Amino acid sequence: MFAWSLELAWLIVLLPFAAFALIGLFLHRWPRLSASLSILAIGLSFILSVLIAAHVFLGGMQEPFELSIRWLAMPGLNVDMGLLIDGITGVMLIVVTLVALLVQVYSLGYMHGDPGFSSYYAYQSVFAGSMLGLVLANNFGQIFVFWELVGLASYLLIGFWFGRDSAKNAAVKAFVTNRVGDFGFLLAILFLQIIFGTLNFNGLAAEIAGYTNTAILIGISILLLAGPIGKSAQFPLHVWLPDAMEGPTPVSALIHAATMVAAGVYLIARAYFIFSTTPEAMMVIAVVGGFTALFAATIALVQNDIKRILAYSTLSQLGYMVMAMGIGAMTAGMFHLMTHAFFKALLFLAAGSVIHAMANEQDIWKMGRLKDKMPVTTWTFVIGALALAGIPPLSGFWSKDEILLGAFASGHMGLYLLGTLVAFLTAFYMFRLIFVAFFGSNKGGEHAHESPLVMTVPLVILAVLAVVAGFVGSPLMDYAFAHYVTYPGAVHHDPNIMVMVISALVAIAGIILAWAIYQKELISHLALREKFQGIYTLLYNKYYIDEIYHWLGQRFIDGTARVLFWFDIYVVNGLVNGIAALTGGAGKVLRYTETGQVQTYAGYMLVGVIVIVGLVLIAGFAMLI
């Protein structure tokens, strides 16, 4: 249908990078022009992405499209650059460009008057361009380049308000934490190149299909998984994501919905041909994802910062996606990534609307009655929360149920029960937020006001998508999401009414419990907190993981640094300074022999002759004896 658009796919990446370059070099003094150029660039990328997706999903494209050129050639190493377009790519292009476009439009209102307005849009452009380059890459080497650019852009945006110490520290924390995961990812890439001689996805798939050394594949898989654990903030490298809330709220929406954290899940899907070869690696993925889903959901139960509640919700939902990949339901994981992008972007942008109206207040207990002052923000937020909770027929219901069905049908009953419990917790903590901030009796929101159209229109668009986007993967469609976004060996199960009903009832039960405690106050939340003070404190302090890392850093990293400092000062410097002192002392002694007087030198020669003659005589007498 639009086959010609495939040849122009490289423009999707180039346009945002061109906007970044033009803003940075020439347009920095004209904020409105900078914003217009950035929005125009991502808008054109979105249009081209729509054309490509239409060809992939509606045009009957039978085989993946690949375009590759040789970038570097030397004995034993060939490096290619290229594009790979298939069902997974088509979904990600739509998600990234659409969310990035809406976030940039929304930012016109949210960032209005900020002194760094032009820089903000330049960073937004490079962020979107880096993610799109990662999505379109046809080899691991190219993915790694854009993977690191995504990390750099996130560092710049998280620390955008660098005048705040909290923002600077959060940016550094995100950057350093991701370097840990990226080190494992880089090692995996090196092993793939050394063992198989290529980094191209199709070439590797052909090589690995006949490879029988399971131990090597397990090792590569675990190293490869380290990258997504860092980028998608899975336990134990999850600590950076909640602190990333220090950046502007539109940045949080982009990070949590379509760019940085989505990159890790996308990489697992793209490298599924490696992970799926070893059940051991798949089980590790499933366990990491399932544990993170429950771990983060429990923390979200007691948080009071509106953005941090959403941040831990993202951690939990990413755990869902990773768990889906691990149980073989790759399609379900990608489906949830797509629907989650829309309703999580909606929730963050709606939260940004609240913060904007509340003069940067983020504590939900200092809000209240927002539904009267901010009706559009309120009801779009409620729609996003319903989708996140998995209430039918909203989008989150279809994608979440695909994951639960995958766990149930594949016999992973422990993970199925865990996922069901997480669904209950998700509904509870989201409607705790809603009943306190939007419908609560507190008067903190009485001076709030609805945000301008440039902010509310993106909310309405995302709310519509949160309602309808799930139907593309529902059993109601003959050629649903799973028909296009799949991989040989990935499982996709038939619908199960029992799983659907149970998950919906569990989510409704979570909403009812939140209503009873925080709206009707049939149960006092203060009494519950008092009764379970130990558990509350543990959850509120996020299981003290940050404190543990800080303690380990002080004891091991700082301790090692002190030992190395002592070694440098007293051993290295001592040795170097000792040699220098010896040389200097010898020079001081020898300088007395260099007087510049001929008589002195003649005396030295006479002494030398006497010594030599004496040695010769002694040697002669010794020979005679």
Side-chain angles (χ1 to χ4, degrees):
M1 185 183 296
F2 300 104
W4 53 270
S5 63
L6 301 178
E7 300 287 345
L8 300 177
W10 55 274
L11 284 173
I12 295 175
V13 182
L14 180 63
L15 287 169
F17 275 113
F20 164 72
L22 290 173
I23 293 170
L25 293 174
F26 306 111
L27 305 179
H28 202 270
R29 296 182 180 179
W30 296 279
R32 289 185 177 275
L33 186 57
S34 298
S36 300
L37 179 62
S38 180
I39 293 171
L40 175 63
I42 195 63
L44 293 174
S45 293
F46 170 66
I47 293 171
L48 191 52
S49 296
V50 170
L51 295 176
I52 290 174
H55 179 69
V56 171
F57 300 127
L58 304 177
M61 190 171 108
Q62 299 298 320
E63 297 292 333
F65 172 81
E66 184 171 8
L67 179 66
S68 185
I69 60 172
R70 183 58 46 83
W71 183 67
L72 176 66
M74 63 177 64
L77 177 64
N78 294 315
V79 180
D80 293 336
M81 294 188 69
L83 308 172
L84 177 63
I85 299 175
D86 56 9
I88 298 176
T89 308
V91 169
M92 291 299 297
L93 288 177
I94 293 294
V95 167
V96 176
T97 54
L98 177 56
V99 173
L101 175 61
L102 293 174
V103 165
Q104 290 197 25
V105 172
Y106 174 96
S107 298
L108 289 172
Y110 191 89
M111 299 298 292
H112 178 71
D114 192 285
F117 194 79
S118 293
S119 296
Y120 172 83
Y121 273 94
Y123 298 159
Q124 281 275 1
S125 291
V126 77
F127 203 5
S130 300
M131 186 64 191
L132 291 167
L134 187 155
V135 167
L136 284 165
N138 72 334
N139 64 82
F140 279 113
Q142 190 173 332
I143 269 196
F144 189 77
V145 171
F146 287 107
W147 183 274
E148 293 303 312
L149 284 173
V150 166
L152 173 62
S154 68
Y155 170 81
L156 295 172
L157 285 168
I158 293 169
F160 182 75
W161 287 322
F162 53 83
R164 305 175 183 173
D165 287 339
S166 57
K168 289 187 292 187
N169 294 336
V172 171
K173 188 175 184 179
F175 194 81
V176 172
T177 304
N178 274 274
R179 297 290 72 72
V180 176
D182 292 355
F183 179 67
F185 183 21
L186 180 59
L187 288 178
I189 292 174
L190 294 175
F191 281 126
L192 288 171
Q193 175 64 43
I194 293 168
I195 296 171
F196 300 106
T198 181
L199 296 177
N200 180 272
F201 296 136
N202 291 327
L204 278 171
E207 292 286 338
I208 289 175
Y211 195 71
T212 58
N213 193 329
T214 305
I216 293 293
L217 291 176
I218 292 174
I220 290 175
S221 297
I222 299 302
L223 288 172
L224 198 58
L225 179 62
I229 287 176
K231 273 290 188 290
S232 289
Q234 298 296 285
F235 182 87
L237 299 181
H238 66 284
V239 291
W240 68 269
L241 189 57
D243 287 6
M245 299 302 96
E246 293 296 335
T249 302
V251 172
S252 302
L254 196 58
I255 289 175
H256 286 251
T259 51
M260 187 147 172
V261 297
V265 178
Y266 169 78
L267 179 62
I268 297 176
R270 181 56 74 195
Y272 192 79
F273 65 90
I274 298 177
F275 293 115
S276 60
T277 58
T278 56
E280 295 85 356
M282 295 290 280
M283 183 52 64
V284 171
I285 295 172
V287 170
V288 168
F291 179 81
T292 303
L294 180 60
F295 175 83
T298 57
I299 295 175
L301 294 173
V302 299
Q303 298 303 306
N304 299 322
D305 185 308
I306 188 171
K307 288 176 68 175
R308 285 186 178 269
I309 294 171
L310 296 179
Y312 281 105
S313 170
T314 299
L315 283 174
S316 183
Q317 296 304 305
L318 289 168
Y320 250 122
M321 299 172 207
V322 173
M323 183 181 77
M325 301 289 180
I327 60 178
M330 186 272 282
T331 298
M334 286 301 298
F335 185 27
H336 198 53
L337 186 153
M338 182 194 77
T339 61
H340 176 266
F342 299 136
F343 56 71
K344 186 51 63 71
L346 167 60
L347 290 168
F348 265 108
L349 294 184
S353 179
V354 171
I355 295 167
H356 184 265
M358 293 288 297
N360 296 319
E361 180 59 64
Q362 296 183 197
D363 189 337
I364 61 173
W365 295 103
K366 296 180 180 179
M367 303 174 187
R369 300 182 181 179
L370 293 177
K371 66 179 178 62
D372 300 325
K373 301 291 185 178
M374 308 179 69
V376 176
T377 298
T378 297
W379 293 110
T380 53
F381 193 97
V382 170
I383 291 172
L386 289 169
L388 175 58
I391 301 299
L394 279 72
S395 59
F397 167 75
W398 303 109
S399 57
K400 179 198 68 178
D401 268 34
E402 283 286 337
I403 296 174
L404 294 176
L405 175 60
F408 180 82
S410 61
H412 294 87
M413 293 305 297
L415 292 175
Y416 166 73
L417 294 174
L418 182 149
T420 304
L421 174 59
V422 170
F424 171 80
L425 297 176
T426 301
F428 177 81
Y429 66 66
M430 284 306 302
F431 278 84
R432 168 184 176 264
L433 187 163
I434 287 172
F435 290 132
V436 171
F438 294 92
F439 295 90
S441 58
N442 296 334
K443 297 182 179 180
E446 59 185 8
H447 298 297
H449 56 84
E450 188 60 270
S451 298
L453 285 176
V454 74
M455 295 173 67
T456 55
V457 169
L459 296 183
V460 173
I461 294 172
L462 287 168
V464 172
L465 290 171
V467 174
V468 305
F471 286 103
V472 302
S474 73
L476 305 176
M477 293 186 64
D478 292 332
Y479 292 95
F481 189 89
H483 181 77
Y484 302 102
V485 184
T486 187
Y487 192 85
V491 295
H492 182 71
H493 303 283
D494 293 329
N496 187 310
I497 299 299
M498 183 191 73
V499 172
M500 290 183 181
V501 171
I502 290 175
S503 68
L505 291 176
V506 163
I508 292 171
I511 295 173
I512 292 173
L513 182 60
W515 172 80
I517 296 175
Y518 296 100
Q519 182 67 25
K520 290 298 182 180
E521 299 183 355
L522 301 177
I523 306 171
S524 171
H525 70 276
L526 295 176
L528 287 173
R529 181 192 302 182
E530 186 68 26
K531 184 175 181 179
F532 301 101
Q533 185 63 44
I535 297 175
Y536 175 85
T537 303
L538 181 66
L539 297 180
Y540 185 77
N541 289 285
K542 302 160 288 185
Y543 295 96
Y544 296 98
I545 299 297
D546 287 275
E547 287 78 5
I548 292 171
Y549 284 171
H550 181 69
W551 182 85
L552 290 173
Q554 285 185 321
R555 293 298 181 275
F556 292 97
I557 298 176
D558 293 352
T560 302
R562 283 192 289 270
V563 171
L564 292 177
F565 175 79
W566 180 89
F567 184 82
D568 181 56
I569 295 298
Y570 295 103
V571 178
V572 176
N573 286 0
L575 180 62
V576 172
N577 292 339
I579 294 174
L582 179 63
T583 304
K588 289 179 181 179
V589 172
L590 291 174
R591 72 181 180 180
Y592 292 111
T593 65
E594 303 297 325
T595 63
Q597 296 179 351
V598 176
Q599 298 93 324
T600 302
Y601 298 148
Y604 292 157
M605 292 177 64
L606 178 60
V607 171
V609 170
I610 293 171
V611 170
I612 292 172
V613 171
L615 292 174
V616 171
L617 291 174
I618 292 171
F621 283 122
M623 292 178 65
L624 291 174
I625 295 173

